[in-house]
């Protein structure tokens, strides 16, 4: 079931300018719990909520999903802006024309215990990166996978029993960035597509999720949870949004009330000057 707002809670969509650190409120709703902003090439923001996908304008304008089942907060926009790829409640990934039209299932049937959670698209638009979640008995296994955006054979990129998530291509297409608990708790990593070489990018007490490389390669935006957090829960008071620069510097941009839905998917502006995020304050809770 899609998430809903708690009593007294609201959804607020912000854009932060990475050079100045200025945060601008774009849209607020007391009715719809919306999540996970993407950008279209023209600067329009896209979010999901209530199992639907919306353009953000003066209000929330539904995007026709062409018969696709209810979606979650894992969706990405193709580099040319013509297609949005969405993860649906049936565990599959679909391609939908951004202007509306019939949805096309991309992913293959890997059995009832396997689900696909989309996070990235290659810079040339030909390949999707997703997290494959599989139940083996009582074990929950997540790994990084890829599949052609036109459909075709899956490729397993990681093969381990660590909790991996947030797989997203870098701007050169040579690396996939992801978070993993292979370091003990969730930290940021990247893995070379060609040979599977993995590199750890963060190493601190924070629980770090969802690395989003800027289109120009200048920095990685990510969500940082308090030490000891398990998974990526919703409604955590001290969630931090951070930047990891290409020089290895960590910049903290804000602390907010949120977590799940705040910044799950690619959220940089096309020109790499800003990124979007969602916070979920409850009455007087700090944001």
């Amino acid at each position: 079931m899609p998430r809903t707002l708690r009593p007294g809670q609201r959804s607020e969509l912000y854009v932060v300018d990475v050079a100045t650190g200025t945060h601008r409120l774009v849209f607020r709703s007391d009715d719809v719990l919306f999540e996970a902003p993407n950008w279209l090439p023209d600067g329009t923001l896209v979010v999901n909520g209530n199992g639907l996908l919306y353009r953000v304008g003066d209000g929330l304008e539904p995007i026709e999903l062409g018969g696709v089942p209810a979606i979650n907060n894992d969706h990405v926009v193709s580099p040319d802006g013509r297609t949005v790829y969405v993860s649906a409640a049936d565990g599959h990934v679909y391609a939908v024309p951004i202007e509306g039209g019939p949805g096309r299932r991309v992913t293959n049937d890997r059995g009832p215990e396997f689900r696909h959670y989309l996070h990235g698209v290659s810079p040339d638009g030909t390949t999707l990166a997703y997290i494959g979640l599989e139940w083996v008995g009582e074990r929950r296994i997540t790994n990084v996978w890829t599949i052609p955006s036109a459909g075709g054979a899956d490729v397993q990129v990681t093969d381990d029993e660590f909790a991996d998530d947030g797989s997203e291509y870098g701007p050169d297409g040579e690396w996939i960035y992801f978070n993993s608990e292979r370091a003990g708790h969730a930290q940021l990593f990247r893995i070379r597509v060609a040979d599977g070489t993995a590199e750890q990018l963060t190493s601190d007490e924070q629980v770090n999720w969802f690395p989003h490389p800027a289109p120009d390669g200048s920095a990685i935006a990510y969500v940082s949870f308090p030490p000891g957090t398990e998974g990526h829960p919703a409604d955590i008071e001290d969630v931090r949004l951070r930047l990891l620069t290409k020089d290895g510097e960590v910049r903290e941009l804000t602390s907010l009330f949120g977590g799940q839905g705040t910044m799950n998917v690619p959220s940089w502006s096309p020109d790499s000057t800003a990124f979007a995020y969602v916070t979920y304050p409850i009455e007087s809770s700090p944001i």
Side-chain angles (χ1 to χ4, degrees):
M1 292 292 293
R3 292 171 58 208
T4 58
L5 293 170
R6 294 161 58 180
Q9 190 173 32
R10 62 185 182 272
S11 306
E12 294 183 342
L13 173 63
Y14 284 86
V15 169
V16 56
D17 183 297
V18 296
T20 65
T22 302
H23 299 256
R24 175 173 58 90
L25 178 64
V26 175
F27 187 75
R28 172 188 289 133
S29 177
D30 297 316
D31 303 312
V32 178
L33 192 155
F34 57 77
E35 306 175 287
N38 300 130
W39 297 71
L40 298 180
D42 65 2
T44 302
L45 285 162
V46 174
V47 296
N48 69 280
N50 290 337
L52 305 174
L53 195 68
Y54 301 96
R55 284 187 180 87
V56 180
D58 294 334
L60 296 177
E61 175 190 346
I63 294 173
E64 173 57 49
L65 293 179
V68 171
I71 68 167
N72 59 32
N73 56 25
D74 297 324
H75 41 82
V76 300
V77 177
S78 64
D80 63 9
R82 299 174 61 184
T83 304
V84 59
Y85 299 97
V86 299
S87 293
D90 63 356
H92 284 285
V93 173
Y94 292 81
V96 179
I98 197 68
E99 298 302 329
R104 169 180 59 85
R105 199 179 92 178
V106 176
T107 47
N108 301 304
D109 188 353
R110 303 187 64 85
E113 302 300 321
F114 192 98
R115 302 181 71 82
H116 308 75
Y117 292 96
L118 176 67
H119 284 276
V121 59
S122 62
D124 63 5
T126 63
T127 311
L128 304 179
Y130 72 87
I131 294 298
L133 185 155
E134 186 174 14
W135 287 96
V136 179
E138 296 184 354
R139 291 180 300 150
R140 181 180 184 271
I141 298 174
T142 55
N143 277 293
V144 177
W145 295 71
T146 64
I147 189 171
S149 56
D154 305 271
V155 175
Q156 187 169 356
V157 179
T158 65
D159 186 6
D160 55 61
E161 295 193 11
F162 299 110
D164 298 336
D165 209 337
S167 50
E168 189 171 319
Y169 278 93
D172 59 9
E174 296 181 4
W175 296 86
I176 292 176
Y177 293 73
F178 65 108
N179 58 270
S180 175
E181 293 182 357
R182 63 189 62 199
H185 62 271
Q187 295 291 334
L188 306 187
F189 291 80
R190 67 177 186 171
I191 189 166
R192 195 189 302 273
V193 175
D195 61 11
T197 300
E199 298 179 357
Q200 186 170 344
L201 303 176
T202 61
S203 181
D204 55 41
E205 293 184 353
Q206 293 289 119
V207 176
N208 299 318
W209 279 74
F210 299 135
H212 304 307
D216 65 0
S218 59
I220 299 167
Y222 63 100
V223 181
S224 191
F225 290 89
T229 303
E230 295 185 4
H232 56 296
D235 298 337
I236 300 297
E237 187 165 330
D238 187 25
V239 174
R240 304 175 186 185
L241 298 188
R242 290 179 163 178
L243 284 181
L244 176 64
T245 71
K246 61 183 179 182
D247 298 324
E249 176 190 0
V250 174
R251 289 177 53 198
E252 189 161 316
L253 293 177
T254 192
S255 178
L256 53 84
F257 191 88
Q260 176 69 272
T262 287
M263 200 170 67
N264 292 51
V265 292
S267 51
W268 282 91
S269 62
D271 62 5
S272 299
T273 63
F275 62 84
Y277 66 91
V278 183
T279 183
Y280 301 99
I282 300 177
E283 297 178 344
S284 60
S285 295
I287 60 174

